[in-house]
Amino acid sequence: MPRNDIAVVGAGLVGAMVATLLTQRGFRVSVFEKRPDPRRAGVQGGRSINLALAERGLHALRATGLAEQVLAQSVMMRGRMVHDPAGHSALQRYGADDSEVIWSVSREGLNGLMLDAAEAAGATFHFGQGLESADLDAGRLMLRSTDGTQRSIDAPVVIGADGAGSALRAQMHRHAPLGERVEELGHGYKELEIPPGSDPSAPFAIEPHALHIWPRGHYMCIALPNREGSFTVTLFLPNEGEHPSFRSIAGAGAAEAFFRADFPDALALMPTFAHDWAAHPVGMLATLYLDRWHIGGRALLIGDAAHAIVPFHGQGMNCGFEDAAELADLFAADPTDPAAVFAAFETRRKPNADAIARMALENYVEMRDKVADPVFLRKRELGALLTERCPSHYLPRYRMVTFTHLPYAYALERGQAQDTLVEQLLKGHDSVGTVDIEAAVRALQATLPPLPAEAFERGLRPALGGA
Ligand code: FAD
């Protein structure tokens, strides 16, 4: 391979994204994917059917020219629709208006669009070619095709976008230990479905423009809309232990009884519940931490292969897309020195990957437990008021993560400082109504520096006349 050739292992969301962006910058990119071409073979079950796309992912899609097309195939979600055990529901908006929303997008549809874009840009795809082993000293990859034949190829520079179970990561680890640590959450997930209703003019059985949550303390259900009117429902539950856990629920009959007690309104909308429960496996959830993501200029991991996280902030793909965009920028600035590019990428991205891993774990507790908690709701209400009154100094952490390009590590740190302040301001108050807002704004300005300019780059400008 000439010097500017790059091999990518994995043609999932992040592999297709990095292939497109590098090809657009003049690199010759070959992608090797274990599975058959999903545009022809269809998806092979077991992965989430839809995903929440947010600003970081959209930013990378804009660079590929695909953003508008992807949004046209997505469903806007304005906030969390929280369903309480009594069957009442209320929308908690994510942002100030429809410039701050997330999008429910089909994994299969998005992957197909991205593969088309990468091919159109000039990347070459080799489907049904799984990485089996690698000789990183010699710059060679050994591949096995679906018919069992093996071949070896030259690949002096290889990027591993082959997901949480990365084969390239295992090969790199054999070459030089990467300091791998996997922390299992102890909770798993199962996907179910609310089908479209029979009226084609109003196919959605519940509010389409929301991410639905049924929080129940230690566990929860969520539902994301699909364009044709269905919802993909995901139950998150402890794997082991006392009822309810995946272990304590033996079979579809017991699962139905559990849903009848805990999620009766959702169960009423799921006519194929028993079939879906039996047919869909329990997925496992874990966080992957590595000390190193690259070996010199020969091999680098990105996306889930480097930093798989739990899905509760809806940021795994978004973070992987941001990885791809930053990597392509670094390569464009220094096209002949992959070792320097990989080192700079790791330095820049690793603190951010660690931060979103932590926030994703924290968000599980927030979603399943706190969204219905009065103390949490009071903090949220005061935070929203401070954002309105003093947008130059206060932006809720969820919005920093979801609607800006501020580094995740900044969002984590700033979010902690804001949280501490809000807790102090609420001390002794049972309601936000009794807090002296003018004094709270003064305390905010005295305690925290203004937010950086990046906080206001998209639809988040301080209101005219704001402090
Ligand atoms: P993958 O999508 O896993 O792709 C890896 C690719 O590599 C696959 O095509 C695979 O076949 C291929 N491959 C594997 N081994 C080999 C090999 N040996 N040789 C060649 N190819 C190989 N993220 C969000 O941003 N928003 C969400 O709402 C969201 N929801 C989620 C819900 C659930 C239940 C889960 C589990 C995850 C969710 N995520 C979400 C995370 C998101 O799915 C991942 O972060 C994203 O898929 C990572 O993309 P990737 O390309 O790095 O890895």
Side-chain angles (χ1 to χ4, degrees):
M1 280 186 172
R3 195 165 56 183
N4 270 355
D5 278 9
I6 296 175
V8 174
V9 181
L13 296 169
V14 176
M17 175 61 81
V18 81
T20 309
L21 295 175
L22 287 174
T23 310
Q24 284 176 343
R25 283 164 169 79
F27 291 87
R28 228 166 57 192
V29 180
S30 304
V31 188
F32 301 91
E33 165 59 48
K34 180 169 72 172
R35 299 185 201 199
D37 187 340
R39 292 165 297 181
R40 287 177 193 97
V43 274
Q44 302 180 338
R47 300 298 302 276
S48 63
I49 291 151
N50 52 23
L51 298 149
L53 172 68
E55 174 53 29
R56 290 166 205 269
L58 262 175
H59 184 62
L61 284 168
R62 280 185 209 108
T64 65
L66 282 178
E68 291 309 315
Q69 219 176 327
V70 171
L71 289 187
Q73 297 185 12
S74 308
V75 184
M76 180 201 283
M77 297 185 289
R78 295 191 167 100
R80 299 163 167 166
M81 184 70 82
V82 179
H83 298 258
D84 73 15
H88 304 124
S89 57
L91 182 72
Q92 297 176 2
R93 254 190 180 277
Y94 288 131
D97 53 39
D98 282 356
S99 70
E100 293 177 0
V101 295
I102 56 175
W103 301 86
S104 177
V105 55
S106 141
R107 182 187 288 273
E108 183 186 12
L110 179 59
N111 208 8
L113 280 178
M114 292 180 55
L115 293 173
D116 287 347
E119 274 179 350
T124 313
F125 283 83
H126 306 267
F127 290 100
Q129 305 267 310
L131 176 77
E132 201 163 65
S133 62
D135 180 342
L136 296 173
D137 283 326
R140 293 192 70 73
L141 303 181
M142 270 59 78
L143 304 165
R144 185 184 285 275
S145 27
T146 24
D147 64 9
T149 54
Q150 282 177 296
R151 68 178 175 122
S152 108
I153 56 149
D154 283 340
V157 180
V158 55
I159 296 172
D162 51 343
S166 172
L168 185 66
R169 189 173 74 236
Q171 296 301 310
M172 289 165 66
H173 188 67
R174 279 183 29 182
H175 188 93
L178 301 176
E180 178 175 324
R181 191 161 52 90
V182 176
E183 276 183 13
E184 286 184 19
L185 182 65
H187 291 223
Y189 69 95
K190 191 182 271 277
E191 284 176 344
L192 303 161
E193 198 202 9
I194 295 175
S198 52
D199 177 358
S201 65
F204 293 97
I206 45 178
E207 166 60 41
H209 296 297
L211 189 156
H212 294 262
I213 310 182
W214 289 261
R216 296 295 182 263
H218 290 293
Y219 53 95
M220 67 176 180
C221 266
I222 66 167
L224 270 72
N226 298 306
R227 270 195 80 77
E228 89 291 359
S230 67
F231 288 81
T232 304
V233 179
T234 311
L235 168 69
F236 295 95
L237 195 65
N239 292 323
E240 306 285 337
E242 283 174 18
H243 185 72
S245 67
F246 279 115
R247 182 181 283 272
S248 79
I249 297 171
E256 210 161 320
F258 162 54
F259 265 68
R260 204 171 302 117
D262 277 57
F263 309 107
D265 49 343
L267 180 66
L269 305 171
M270 293 193 271
T272 56
F273 179 89
H275 167 270
D276 292 348
W277 186 275
H280 298 168
V282 175
M284 84 152 227
L285 299 168
T287 307
L288 164 72
Y289 302 94
L290 297 177
D291 291 340
R292 280 172 293 286
W293 288 355
H294 74 108
I295 292 186
R298 282 168 281 178
L300 171 77
L301 300 168
I302 65 169
D304 275 18
H307 49 69
I309 60 176
V310 294
F312 305 108
H313 220 305
Q315 284 289 315
M317 165 190 67
N318 286 285
C319 178
F321 281 5
E322 200 174 52
D323 279 356
E326 289 205 22
L327 181 63
D329 286 348
L330 287 167
F331 255 123
D334 197 357
T336 57
D337 192 351
V341 167
F342 291 176
F345 176 80
E346 184 187 295
T347 305
R348 228 195 246 195
R349 293 298 294 165
K350 221 179 108 33
N352 291 314
D354 290 343
I356 189 57
R358 180 164 163 190
M359 292 189 283
L361 284 163
E362 288 175 5
N363 226 40
Y364 187 28
V365 182
E366 179 168 322
M367 288 173 86
R368 71 184 197 210
D369 208 4
K370 293 195 179 162
V371 286
D373 169 52
V375 177
F376 169 82
L377 292 174
R378 265 202 302 279
K379 283 168 70 177
R380 200 174 172 276
E381 190 186 339
L382 181 55
L385 217 56
L386 289 172
T387 307
E388 201 184 299
R389 298 294 293 273
C390 192
S392 58
H393 281 69
Y394 196 98
L395 189 58
R397 184 174 93 178
Y398 182 89
R399 285 164 68 177
M400 287 191 255
V401 169
T402 310
F403 305 125
T404 80
H405 308 148
L406 288 166
Y408 288 123
Y410 176 87
L412 176 63
E413 200 185 319
R414 178 77 182 203
Q416 279 164 342
Q418 292 180 168
D419 205 50
T420 305
L421 180 71
V422 165
E423 270 172 16
Q424 279 165 7
L425 293 170
L426 279 170
K427 232 176 228 153
H429 294 273
D430 288 337
S431 138
V432 174
T434 57
V435 175
D436 177 347
I437 294 300
E438 296 310 325
V441 168
R442 283 196 299 278
L444 171 62
Q445 289 169 334
T447 317
L448 295 176
L451 290 155
E454 284 154 287
F456 310 109
E457 272 167 11
R458 273 192 45 81
L460 288 169
R461 289 167 189 83
L464 282 179

